[in-house]
PDB file of all heavy atoms in Angstrom:
ATOM      1  N   ASP D 450     -21.192  34.928  43.817  1.00  0.00           N
ATOM      2  CA  ASP D 450     -21.719  33.802  43.049  1.00  0.00           C
ATOM      3  C   ASP D 450     -23.156  33.583  43.507  1.00  0.00           C
ATOM      4  O   ASP D 450     -23.463  32.680  44.262  1.00  0.00           O
ATOM      5  CB  ASP D 450     -20.868  32.542  43.322  1.00  0.00           C
ATOM      6  CG  ASP D 450     -21.366  31.341  42.519  1.00  0.00           C
ATOM      7  OD1 ASP D 450     -22.407  31.474  41.826  1.00  0.00           O
ATOM      8  OD2 ASP D 450     -20.724  30.278  42.593  1.00  0.00           O
ATOM      9  N   TRP D 451     -24.013  34.456  43.039  1.00  0.00           N
ATOM     10  CA  TRP D 451     -25.407  34.431  43.529  1.00  0.00           C
ATOM     11  C   TRP D 451     -26.130  33.161  43.139  1.00  0.00           C
ATOM     12  O   TRP D 451     -26.964  32.665  43.897  1.00  0.00           O
ATOM     13  CB  TRP D 451     -26.183  35.645  42.994  1.00  0.00           C
ATOM     14  CG  TRP D 451     -25.499  36.964  43.243  1.00  0.00           C
ATOM     15  CD1 TRP D 451     -25.162  37.899  42.322  1.00  0.00           C
ATOM     16  CD2 TRP D 451     -25.086  37.493  44.511  1.00  0.00           C
ATOM     17  NE1 TRP D 451     -24.558  38.984  42.923  1.00  0.00           N
ATOM     18  CE2 TRP D 451     -24.496  38.754  44.259  1.00  0.00           C
ATOM     19  CE3 TRP D 451     -25.133  37.020  45.824  1.00  0.00           C
ATOM     20  CZ2 TRP D 451     -23.956  39.571  45.276  1.00  0.00           C
ATOM     21  CZ3 TRP D 451     -24.610  37.816  46.839  1.00  0.00           C
ATOM     22  CH2 TRP D 451     -24.025  39.074  46.564  1.00  0.00           C
ATOM     23  N   ALA D 452     -25.810  32.637  41.988  1.00  0.00           N
ATOM     24  CA  ALA D 452     -26.508  31.428  41.539  1.00  0.00           C
ATOM     25  C   ALA D 452     -26.321  30.287  42.528  1.00  0.00           C
ATOM     26  O   ALA D 452     -27.278  29.646  42.954  1.00  0.00           O
ATOM     27  CB  ALA D 452     -26.008  31.030  40.155  1.00  0.00           C
ATOM     28  N   THR D 453     -25.070  30.070  42.933  1.00  0.00           N
ATOM     29  CA  THR D 453     -24.815  28.986  43.872  1.00  0.00           C
ATOM     30  C   THR D 453     -25.402  29.285  45.244  1.00  0.00           C
ATOM     31  O   THR D 453     -25.992  28.415  45.900  1.00  0.00           O
ATOM     32  CB  THR D 453     -23.289  28.740  43.991  1.00  0.00           C
ATOM     33  OG1 THR D 453     -22.757  28.646  42.669  1.00  0.00           O
ATOM     34  CG2 THR D 453     -23.013  27.465  44.750  1.00  0.00           C
ATOM     35  N   ALA D 454     -25.245  30.535  45.650  1.00  0.00           N
ATOM     36  CA  ALA D 454     -25.790  30.931  46.951  1.00  0.00           C
ATOM     37  C   ALA D 454     -27.306  30.713  46.990  1.00  0.00           C
ATOM     38  O   ALA D 454     -27.853  30.189  47.967  1.00  0.00           O
ATOM     39  CB  ALA D 454     -25.474  32.399  47.230  1.00  0.00           C
ATOM     40  N   ASP D 455     -27.957  31.083  45.923  1.00  0.00           N
ATOM     41  CA  ASP D 455     -29.412  30.927  45.874  1.00  0.00           C
ATOM     42  C   ASP D 455     -29.823  29.461  45.794  1.00  0.00           C
ATOM     43  O   ASP D 455     -30.866  29.071  46.297  1.00  0.00           O
ATOM     44  CB  ASP D 455     -29.985  31.687  44.666  1.00  0.00           C
ATOM     45  CG  ASP D 455     -29.921  33.201  44.877  1.00  0.00           C
ATOM     46  OD1 ASP D 455     -29.566  33.604  46.006  1.00  0.00           O
ATOM     47  OD2 ASP D 455     -30.206  33.952  43.924  1.00  0.00           O
ATOM     48  N   ARG D 456     -28.957  28.673  45.170  1.00  0.00           N
ATOM     49  CA  ARG D 456     -29.277  27.251  45.079  1.00  0.00           C
ATOM     50  C   ARG D 456     -29.297  26.633  46.478  1.00  0.00           C
ATOM     51  O   ARG D 456     -30.150  25.815  46.793  1.00  0.00           O
ATOM     52  CB  ARG D 456     -28.212  26.550  44.222  1.00  0.00           C
ATOM     53  CG  ARG D 456     -28.825  25.537  43.291  1.00  0.00           C
ATOM     54  CD  ARG D 456     -27.772  24.950  42.393  1.00  0.00           C
ATOM     55  NE  ARG D 456     -27.519  23.570  42.748  1.00  0.00           N
ATOM     56  CZ  ARG D 456     -26.466  22.879  42.321  1.00  0.00           C
ATOM     57  NH1 ARG D 456     -25.561  23.458  41.558  1.00  0.00           N
ATOM     58  NH2 ARG D 456     -26.326  21.623  42.662  1.00  0.00           N
ATOM     59  N   ILE D 457     -28.361  27.039  47.277  1.00  0.00           N
ATOM     60  CA  ILE D 457     -28.332  26.522  48.657  1.00  0.00           C
ATOM     61  C   ILE D 457     -29.575  26.965  49.415  1.00  0.00           C
ATOM     62  O   ILE D 457     -30.247  26.171  50.076  1.00  0.00           O
ATOM     63  CB  ILE D 457     -27.050  27.005  49.380  1.00  0.00           C
ATOM     64  CG1 ILE D 457     -25.819  26.355  48.738  1.00  0.00           C
ATOM     65  CG2 ILE D 457     -27.130  26.688  50.871  1.00  0.00           C
ATOM     66  CD1 ILE D 457     -24.500  26.878  49.257  1.00  0.00           C
ATOM     67  N   ARG D 458     -29.887  28.247  49.260  1.00  0.00           N
ATOM     68  CA  ARG D 458     -31.055  28.766  49.979  1.00  0.00           C
ATOM     69  C   ARG D 458     -32.342  28.097  49.504  1.00  0.00           C
ATOM     70  O   ARG D 458     -33.181  27.693  50.304  1.00  0.00           O
ATOM     71  CB  ARG D 458     -31.159  30.285  49.798  1.00  0.00           C
ATOM     72  CG  ARG D 458     -32.241  30.897  50.686  1.00  0.00           C
ATOM     73  CD  ARG D 458     -32.226  32.404  50.641  1.00  0.00           C
ATOM     74  NE  ARG D 458     -32.490  32.898  49.296  1.00  0.00           N
ATOM     75  CZ  ARG D 458     -32.260  34.157  48.912  1.00  0.00           C
ATOM     76  NH1 ARG D 458     -31.741  35.033  49.761  1.00  0.00           N
ATOM     77  NH2 ARG D 458     -32.514  34.542  47.685  1.00  0.00           N
ATOM     78  N   ASP D 459     -32.479  27.963  48.196  1.00  0.00           N
ATOM     79  CA  ASP D 459     -33.695  27.337  47.661  1.00  0.00           C
ATOM     80  C   ASP D 459     -33.787  25.867  48.055  1.00  0.00           C
ATOM     81  O   ASP D 459     -34.861  25.354  48.357  1.00  0.00           O
ATOM     82  CB  ASP D 459     -33.719  27.462  46.131  1.00  0.00           C
ATOM     83  CG  ASP D 459     -33.874  28.923  45.690  1.00  0.00           C
ATOM     84  OD1 ASP D 459     -34.251  29.749  46.546  1.00  0.00           O
ATOM     85  OD2 ASP D 459     -33.590  29.223  44.511  1.00  0.00           O
ATOM     86  N   GLY D 460     -32.618  25.228  48.013  1.00  0.00           N
ATOM     87  CA  GLY D 460     -32.603  23.799  48.362  1.00  0.00           C
ATOM     88  C   GLY D 460     -33.039  23.585  49.802  1.00  0.00           C
ATOM     89  O   GLY D 460     -33.824  22.680  50.117  1.00  0.00           O
ATOM     90  N   LEU D 461     -32.539  24.425  50.677  1.00  0.00           N
ATOM     91  CA  LEU D 461     -32.915  24.299  52.078  1.00  0.00           C
ATOM     92  C   LEU D 461     -34.398  24.615  52.269  1.00  0.00           C
ATOM     93  O   LEU D 461     -35.077  23.990  53.085  1.00  0.00           O
ATOM     94  CB  LEU D 461     -32.054  25.225  52.946  1.00  0.00           C
ATOM     95  CG  LEU D 461     -30.634  24.728  53.218  1.00  0.00           C
ATOM     96  CD1 LEU D 461     -29.800  25.822  53.871  1.00  0.00           C
ATOM     97  CD2 LEU D 461     -30.653  23.481  54.097  1.00  0.00           C
ATOM     98  N   LYS D 462     -34.867  25.556  51.491  1.00  0.00           N
ATOM     99  CA  LYS D 462     -36.278  25.929  51.604  1.00  0.00           C
ATOM    100  C   LYS D 462     -37.177  24.740  51.276  1.00  0.00           C
ATOM    101  O   LYS D 462     -38.191  24.506  51.922  1.00  0.00           O
ATOM    102  CB  LYS D 462     -36.583  27.100  50.661  1.00  0.00           C
ATOM    103  CG  LYS D 462     -37.923  27.751  50.945  1.00  0.00           C
ATOM    104  CD  LYS D 462     -38.169  28.920  50.022  1.00  0.00           C
ATOM    105  CE  LYS D 462     -39.554  29.519  50.302  1.00  0.00           C
ATOM    106  NZ  LYS D 462     -39.866  30.592  49.352  1.00  0.00           N
TER     107      LYS D 462
END
Side-chain angles (χ1 to χ4, degrees):
Chain D
D450 181 356
W451 308 124
T453 311
D455 288 353
R456 221 175 110 194
I457 293 173
R458 188 173 62 195
D459 293 344
L461 283 170
K462 193 178 178 184

